[in-house]
Amino acid sequence: MNDKIFLSFGPFTITWYALFILTGVVVAYELSQRTMKKWKYSSSVLEDYVIPMMFFGILGARIYYVIFEWDYYSLHLEEIIKIWHGGLAIHGGLIAGILFSLYYFKKKKVSIYRMMDCILPNVMIAQAFGRWGNFMNQEAFGGVVSESFIDHFPDFIKNKMYINGQYHHPTFLYESALNVIGFILIYCIRKRGLKKQGDAGFLYCIWYGMIRFFIEGLRTDSLMLGPVRIAQLVSLLLVLIGVLGLCGIGYKYEKPVVLFDLDGTLQDSKQMIFETFVQVFKERKPDIQLSQEELNSFFGPTLEESFGKYFKEEEIEEIIERYQQINLNLHYTMLKEIDHATELLETLKKDGYHLGIVSNKRIKAVELGVQVNHFEPYFDVLLGKEDLPIPKPSGTGLIEACSRMNVSRDNVIYVGDAKSDILSAKDVAMISVGFSKDEDRIEQMNQANPDYIIRDLRDLISICKEKRTWNDTSIW
């Protein structure tokens, strides 16, 4: 019986080597997809990525191995394609995988640094599984050890490490265990929040580079370039890349896309909205005298939610239509911009920032508000309730705005004056800025843990100039 075979029926066989590699890929994929789901990325981003990534990774790993074992393969050309016999170099797979990833994520307008954080720590789990494939193939083992040394390991490992009449270091086990430890360490660091995009990926480079350098020194089958172990050389390069990346050397900080709520953020519509509700209730429910507390409660929720507390479901559409008629008429007499709004927008536009509005208001009201306040030159996109896949506090409208602007959603600030605005940004791991001069509203926004609170719109200018990552790195 061939103990390298997991399953065989007829001419078809599944090797343990293939099983462990595929299991590792599936586990790493599911872990990465879990994070992508929290960031509200479409599942198709990784679904369309994983199969070609596997192909190019395996191809790169094989080519790399064959190049450095060309003395053998030049005489046995038929063996080049027989990867089931072993002979995949992880560093070759990483190089090919990184090149494909750069192409793929640039095409998708997704931050390669952010995908490094999402994917590379999970690659350690895939590598941990893959090393057990080496174990089943009796390859990638270390130098000769005494029986008393190997007795510290379980019998099934001891027996497999008895090769050509001698016991050997189970280097597959060392590397597998250290990969798992590295995954746990980076996971814990990542959960506490990263300084910038890419840091978890750079930590992977440092950790894997160090452990592979150490393990390679124990192995007997290293790919060589003269007297130099190639894997150790590449490992040192990985460590260097990781250290430089963590230090921010050569790192390019992106300008954030700045998205705004409208009412209470850029335009002062408070009294206009109060008056609109008062007139609607005077017409439709004259027996109800709205208190100031009730009027304040209408800020943030959709009109459907607000009117749903007072009117029957079948009446709401008609009530909202009347609300819109009254509200649009009042725009010309009661609407005004928030202090310094034009000054802020002028500065940001001049400095090359992409700007947009995402509001729960109907799009007609949004467009009219922008027109009355003369904000038209500043915005690349205006989204009202009809344009949002789901109203706030869902963050899907922020993603939709980025899509329409044809910009990445990985460096975005959302500025609003309500708790629902903060929650919207949090929902898609974007940076949240709460703005208000009202201490009660500030207190409400603070309940959602915004990244910033400002009381003067001009303070946003200095925030935008900070050298930082414009996504919430605490959400995993």
Side-chain angles (χ1 to χ4, degrees):
M1 180 179 178
N2 187 344
D3 58 5
K4 294 182 181 180
I5 303 299
F6 168 71
L7 185 65
S8 178
F9 45 96
F12 183 77
T13 60
I14 300 175
T15 65
W16 281 103
Y17 187 73
L19 180 67
F20 278 116
I21 287 179
L22 288 174
T23 301
V25 169
V26 169
V27 172
Y29 169 79
E30 290 296 335
L31 289 171
S32 300
Q33 197 69 281
R34 182 172 175 266
T35 297
M36 294 287 276
K37 184 177 180 180
K38 289 184 178 181
W39 292 346
K40 296 298 188 295
Y41 277 96
S42 168
S43 60
S44 65
V45 174
L46 288 189
E47 287 171 357
D48 296 341
Y49 169 76
V50 66
I51 299 300
M53 174 63 192
M54 285 178 60
F55 172 78
F56 285 109
I58 292 173
L59 182 63
R62 186 59 170 176
I63 291 173
Y64 187 98
Y65 185 85
V66 168
I67 287 173
F68 289 102
E69 291 288 339
W70 185 244
D71 288 344
Y72 170 79
Y73 285 105
S74 63
L75 301 176
H76 304 85
L77 295 177
E78 74 283 356
E79 284 290 319
I80 292 177
I81 64 171
K82 296 180 180 179
I83 62 173
W84 54 90
H85 289 172
L88 296 176
I90 287 177
H91 284 143
L94 283 174
I95 293 170
I98 289 170
L99 291 175
F100 172 73
S101 298
L102 288 170
Y103 162 78
Y104 178 85
F105 292 120
K106 183 177 181 180
K107 183 179 178 182
K108 289 284 187 179
K109 289 186 169 59
V110 176
S111 166
I112 185 62
Y113 290 121
R114 204 171 185 198
M115 292 303 102
M116 284 170 55
D117 291 335
C118 177
I119 296 170
L120 281 181
N122 302 327
V123 169
M124 284 191 164
I125 296 298
Q127 291 171 329
F129 275 99
R131 282 307 179 197
W132 284 88
N134 295 137
F135 167 69
M136 298 304 296
N137 275 359
Q138 289 187 305
E139 61 188 9
F141 50 81
V144 175
V145 296
S146 65
E147 185 172 2
S148 61
F149 177 86
I150 205 72
D151 278 340
H152 292 92
F153 298 90
D155 286 344
F156 76 95
I157 292 178
K158 175 182 176 180
N159 295 336
K160 271 286 188 179
M161 288 296 99
Y162 189 71
I163 302 167
N164 297 326
Q166 294 177 306
Y167 292 107
H168 290 263
H169 270 294
T171 48
F172 84 93
L173 180 62
Y174 305 159
E175 187 170 332
S176 181
L178 288 170
N179 272 321
V180 173
I181 293 171
F183 168 79
I184 294 171
L185 287 174
I186 295 175
Y187 178 83
C188 292
I189 293 171
R190 196 172 65 173
K191 289 290 284 186
R192 296 182 62 184
L194 302 175
K195 182 179 179 182
K196 62 182 183 300
Q197 291 175 0
D199 279 356
F202 293 131
L203 286 171
Y204 163 85
C205 292
I206 294 172
W207 182 265
Y208 183 66
M210 291 192 304
I211 68 170
R212 184 59 192 272
F213 183 89
F214 164 71
I215 297 297
E216 199 64 25
L218 298 176
R219 284 175 54 169
T220 60
D221 60 344
S222 299
L223 300 176
M224 306 295 290
L225 183 62
V228 179
R229 296 175 187 258
I230 295 300
Q232 287 189 318
L233 189 62
V234 175
S235 295
L236 289 176
L237 181 60
L238 272 179
V239 173
L240 178 62
I241 291 171
V243 171
L244 293 177
L246 279 182
C247 293
I249 298 175
Y251 188 91
K252 184 180 178 181
Y253 289 94
E254 302 285 342
K255 281 185 177 180
V257 173
V258 188
L259 302 177
F260 294 89
D261 177 47
L262 185 57
D263 282 345
T265 303
L266 294 175
Q267 66 182 21
D268 185 353
S269 57
K270 189 174 184 178
Q271 295 306 317
M272 181 185 73
I273 291 173
F274 287 168
E275 180 61 24
T276 307
F277 276 106
V278 168
Q279 290 192 29
V280 169
F281 275 79
K282 186 176 181 180
E283 289 181 8
R284 303 296 175 132
K285 279 193 178 292
D287 56 317
I288 294 180
Q289 298 296 316
L290 294 171
S291 67
Q292 189 60 50
E293 184 179 353
E294 287 174 308
L295 288 171
N296 288 333
S297 73
F298 295 145
F299 277 85
T302 63
L303 292 175
E304 287 85 354
E305 292 172 313
S306 296
F307 285 124
K309 298 176 182 178
Y310 300 90
F311 295 90
K312 296 178 181 179
E313 185 176 351
E314 59 269 21
E315 298 178 294
I316 291 177
E317 185 175 349
E318 180 189 352
I319 298 296
I320 290 177
E321 182 65 28
R322 181 56 183 150
Y323 175 96
Q324 294 295 332
Q325 294 171 357
I326 296 171
N327 186 262
L328 291 175
N329 289 331
L330 292 175
H331 271 63
Y332 297 99
T333 57
M334 298 193 69
L335 190 65
K336 59 182 180 179
E337 72 168 71
I338 295 287
D339 291 343
H340 312 300
T342 298
E343 179 184 348
L344 166 70
L345 297 174
E346 181 74 32
T347 300
L348 293 179
K349 193 67 175 179
K350 184 178 179 181
D351 289 346
Y353 290 88
H354 292 284
L355 309 179
I357 287 177
V358 179
S359 172
N360 270 350
K361 290 170 67 75
R362 298 300 199 275
I363 189 61
K364 285 185 179 180
V366 172
E367 292 171 344
L368 183 57
V370 168
Q371 177 187 340
V372 169
N373 288 297
H374 308 292
F375 291 155
E376 301 103 311
Y378 306 118
F379 292 104
D380 302 327
V381 68
L382 306 175
L383 268 64
K385 180 181 180 297
E386 301 93 327
D387 305 302
L388 310 184
I390 306 173
K392 296 183 291 184
S394 167
T396 53
L398 307 183
I399 296 174
E400 177 66 18
C402 292
S403 177
R404 295 194 185 191
M405 295 165 75
N406 199 29
V407 296
S408 171
R409 49 154 293 183
D410 294 311
N411 290 284
V412 180
I413 293 174
Y414 186 49
V415 188
D417 69 313
K419 182 179 179 180
S420 60
D421 297 321
I422 307 304
L423 293 174
S424 296
K426 294 285 184 182
D427 184 48
V428 287
M430 294 178 180
I431 294 299
S432 54
V433 178
F435 161 73
S436 185
K437 296 180 180 179
D438 185 308
E439 291 304 318
D440 289 336
R441 293 188 73 78
I442 289 174
E443 182 179 350
Q444 291 173 15
M445 287 190 287
N446 275 327
Q447 294 172 7
N449 297 315
D451 295 286
Y452 300 89
I453 286 286
I454 57 176
R455 292 169 172 80
D456 186 320
L457 280 178
R458 292 173 295 185
D459 292 340
L460 185 64
I461 297 171
S462 59
I463 291 174
C464 289
K465 292 181 179 180
E466 292 180 12
K467 286 190 174 182
R468 60 155 295 167
T469 289
W470 299 109
N471 68 277
D472 191 334
T473 57
S474 66
I475 297 175
W476 295 98

